[in-house]
């Protein structure tokens, strides 16, 4: 069964081009031209169809912009809040990308982009989404932190910790290698399956979000530690 995507993009020509290109790889794309329509589709697809497997979200939209759409997606009830979001950014300011990641986007792609790169990023996000249904060591426990890889959930002292799909995979990657110092490049390559560009520091944004979700004091972390000049380490034991 092919994956169903939702593209929220006001550039109709671009949306048509992307839809036709992705269709060649077996991906079906529903298109909405503004944020309100996109959110309405997510909350009630026509004919009672299941929600999409991934959202391609433009940053610059008429009415509510992509950042606000992303915020509202993450506030939706149930599984809809965990749908992977790939944000398209037309602006050159890296802060737009940082803000997008901070509010819950799983990945970003600046315009103009190569359709092949878009397809590669979509496939990577879909693989991570599907990985939740694959057999694995079911639950990892580190003190009060519990990571359920089958259910793709995280809890701290019995309370659910809200993470995006991408942040969940980053946390699992770190936890599986507990006690090992990992560079940013090693972490991102393990999750994305590709090398990290030298200028890309989105990993730091995601780590900040993970700390906010699982640490008692994110500014004084005990679980995910920064190793200056190198990267990060997931501590087996907490003080």
């Amino acid at each position: 069964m092919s994956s169903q995507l939702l593209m929220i993009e006001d550039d109709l020509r671009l949306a048509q081009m992307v839809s036709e290109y992705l269709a060649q790889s077996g991906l079906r794309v529903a298109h909405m031209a503004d944020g309100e329509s996109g959110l309405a589709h997510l909350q009630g697809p026509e004919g009672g169809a299941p929600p999409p497997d991934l959202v391609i979200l433009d940053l610059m939209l008429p009415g509510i912009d992509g950042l606000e759409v992303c915020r509202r997606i993450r506030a939706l009830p149930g599984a809809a809040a965990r749908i992977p979001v790939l944000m398209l950014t037309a602006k050159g300011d890296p802060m737009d990308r940082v803000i997008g990641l901070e509010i819950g986007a799983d990945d970003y792609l600046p315009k103009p982009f190569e359709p092949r790169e878009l397809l590669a990023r979509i496939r990577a996000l879909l693989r991570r989404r599907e990985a939740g249904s694959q057999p694995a060591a079911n639950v990892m426990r580190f003190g009060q932190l519990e990571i359920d890889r089958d259910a793709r959930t995280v809890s701290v002292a019995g309370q659910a910790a809200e993470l995006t799909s991408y942040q969940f995979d980053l946390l699992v990657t770190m936890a599986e290698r507990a006690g090992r110092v990992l560079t940013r490049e090693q972490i991102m390559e393990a999750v994305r399956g590709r090398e990290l560009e030298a200028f890309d520091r989105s990993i730091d944004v995601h780590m900040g979000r993970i700390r906010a979700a699982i640490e008692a004091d994110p500014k004084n972390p005990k679980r995910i530690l920064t190793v200056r000049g190198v990267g990060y380490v997931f501590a087996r034991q907490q003080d």
Side-chain angles (χ1 to χ4, degrees):
M1 182 177 179
S2 63
S3 296
Q4 175 68 56
L5 314 183
L6 171 62
M7 185 172 191
I8 307 176
E9 167 65 66
D10 63 326
D11 186 333
L12 303 184
R13 188 173 179 180
L14 174 63
Q16 182 177 0
M17 181 272 289
V18 168
S19 298
E20 292 175 353
Y21 179 82
L22 296 180
Q24 297 173 17
S25 296
L27 300 172
R28 295 174 293 135
V29 181
H31 171 240
M32 298 293 159
D34 59 79
E36 294 286 2
S37 299
L39 288 167
H41 181 86
L42 278 170
Q43 296 175 78
E46 294 183 6
D53 299 296
L54 181 142
V55 174
I56 304 170
L57 176 62
D58 186 30
L59 179 64
M60 303 299 292
L61 292 169
I64 58 174
D65 64 17
L67 295 177
E68 179 60 24
V69 173
C70 190
R71 287 190 189 95
R72 296 191 190 183
I73 289 175
R74 294 302 177 222
L76 291 174
R82 297 189 295 274
I83 294 173
V85 174
L86 194 164
M87 185 169 284
L88 302 179
T89 63
K91 292 183 178 180
D93 187 352
M95 280 305 300
D96 290 316
R97 304 171 193 175
V98 170
I99 293 171
L101 293 169
E102 285 182 336
I103 64 175
D106 293 277
D107 201 358
Y108 64 84
L109 187 61
K111 296 179 180 179
F113 54 82
E114 284 288 338
R116 287 178 296 179
E117 182 176 5
L118 173 63
L119 177 59
R121 289 178 182 247
I122 288 171
R123 284 175 169 167
L125 289 171
L126 292 175
R127 281 196 300 270
R128 291 199 295 271
R129 179 180 174 88
E130 292 167 2
S133 62
Q134 301 301 316
N138 294 336
V139 179
M140 294 184 287
R141 294 183 176 88
F142 302 88
Q144 294 184 321
L145 174 65
E146 183 174 291
I147 306 170
D148 188 328
R149 290 197 286 192
D150 284 350
R152 293 182 68 78
T153 59
V154 177
S155 62
V156 180
Q159 299 296 313
E162 296 298 326
L163 297 174
T164 68
S165 176
Y166 187 46
Q167 289 158 8
F168 176 86
D169 289 319
L170 284 173
L171 179 60
V172 168
T173 295
M174 296 288 293
E176 289 175 337
R177 299 159 177 80
R180 288 173 52 190
V181 177
L182 301 174
T183 66
R184 292 175 176 83
E185 288 76 11
Q186 288 172 326
I187 297 168
M188 295 289 275
E189 188 173 0
V191 175
R192 279 186 176 174
R194 67 179 181 86
E195 293 184 358
L196 175 67
E197 295 90 344
F199 61 85
D200 192 336
R201 285 296 176 266
S202 63
I203 183 69
D204 299 322
V205 176
H206 285 300
M207 286 300 177
R209 296 286 291 181
I210 294 170
R211 283 171 169 161
I214 70 170
E215 300 274 9
D217 180 2
K219 294 184 178 179
N220 184 31
K222 301 294 185 181
R223 182 65 68 192
I224 296 180
L225 308 178
T226 300
V227 180
R228 287 188 178 278
V230 182
Y232 296 93
V233 60
F234 184 98
R236 291 181 181 276
Q237 301 293 333
Q238 290 182 277
D239 297 334

